[in-house]
Amino acid sequence: MEKIERFKLRHRIGTKAHLALMLFLLLGQRISDIAKLGKQHIRKPEHVSPELRRTHPGRWLAFQQHKNRNKSPVDLVILILPELEAVLAGSPCGTLTFLETEFGQPYTTKGLGNWRADRCIEAKVPGRAHGLRKAGATMAAERGATPHQLVATFGWKTLQQAELYTKKANQQRMAACAMNLVSLGQIVNGCDPLSSPVGKVGSPSS
């Protein structure tokens, strides 16, 4: 998160670099998908099911992931978070895609990667887009997302990839709880076990 904040300090809201950062972070998609996403993929609330509207009353994105599109395509419908809506409203979005080159054309995957790497150099942070996808998955897992929820959001084909994140997050939560039990000052049921009276050998304890 420190690197993300450093990037945001260098590239403020309203810049294309900030827009790119938030698209990567808040959509959790691969660079090949971010390069192609645009206004044509937006679905208004009235264009999604009532069940989805109860989950999120705002707008959604519907698209097919670029990876495996010819062999085993993955179609996703994911919500646009209010935080991302604010960024989209205050950013220079392109006509055909959210991110366009200086010539008004969509980026190629390689071109977007090279452009973002230059912006990361300016902010003095690492420049891999995949790192933001991992950061989004990590944040979701740490906040309680299940493997199935991660698969539905990030478009993985199996639960195995999602479980890498949830297992790590669960380990951290369980370790935190366990270490609290190890603490010498831990109070259990209102009683400090180290100061509780212990019955003498051969006599009943109270």
Side-chain angles (χ1 to χ4, degrees):
M1 290 300 294
E2 177 187 350
K3 295 171 184 176
I4 293 173
E5 292 304 317
R6 197 186 311 163
F7 188 97
K8 290 165 69 175
L9 284 174
R10 176 62 178 81
H11 302 289
R12 301 284 186 169
I13 188 169
T15 64
K16 186 168 71 172
H18 188 277
L19 170 62
L21 169 72
M22 301 309 280
L23 287 170
F24 279 114
L25 190 61
L26 297 180
L27 293 179
Q29 302 306 307
R30 300 179 182 92
I31 189 170
S32 56
D33 296 313
I34 297 298
K36 292 174 174 56
L37 287 176
K39 297 174 183 177
Q40 70 272 24
H41 297 105
I42 294 177
R43 299 292 180 268
K44 295 180 180 180
E46 58 267 29
H47 296 150
V48 299
S49 69
E51 182 180 358
L52 289 181
R53 289 201 296 272
R54 286 193 293 271
T55 302
H56 174 68
R59 301 192 299 175
W60 297 70
L61 281 176
F63 61 99
Q64 185 177 95
Q65 287 189 322
H66 184 75
K67 185 177 181 179
N68 297 320
R69 64 195 181 283
N70 295 323
K71 295 181 179 180
S72 182
V74 175
D75 294 312
L76 291 182
V77 178
I78 58 177
L79 60 84
I80 303 177
L81 291 167
E83 185 178 0
L84 182 56
E85 287 281 22
V87 173
L88 290 172
S91 299
C93 295
T95 302
L96 196 60
T97 54
F98 292 129
L99 299 172
E100 287 184 342
T101 69
E102 59 184 305
F103 305 106
Q105 297 298 315
Y107 280 98
T108 64
T109 298
K110 183 177 180 180
L112 180 56
N114 291 337
W115 173 83
R116 187 177 180 280
D118 290 340
R119 305 292 78 76
C120 288
I121 290 173
E122 293 171 351
K124 297 181 173 58
V125 297
R128 295 186 65 234
H130 185 64
L132 292 176
R133 180 169 161 87
K134 292 178 66 176
T138 298
M139 286 191 295
E142 289 177 345
R143 294 169 182 175
T146 67
H148 284 91
Q149 288 173 326
L150 292 178
V151 166
T153 300
F154 294 91
W156 295 310
K157 300 292 290 183
T158 69
L159 290 175
Q160 184 177 6
Q161 183 67 42
E163 287 173 344
L164 293 176
Y165 294 93
T166 56
K167 285 180 180 178
K168 182 177 180 180
N170 288 336
Q171 179 274 322
Q172 293 170 346
R173 282 193 290 267
M174 288 188 293
C177 292
M179 292 309 295
N180 280 329
L181 295 175
V182 172
S183 172
L184 295 178
Q186 173 68 24
I187 305 298
V188 180
N189 294 327
C191 175
D192 182 348
L194 294 182
S195 61
S196 298
V198 179
K200 296 180 180 179
V201 176
S203 65
S205 59
S206 58

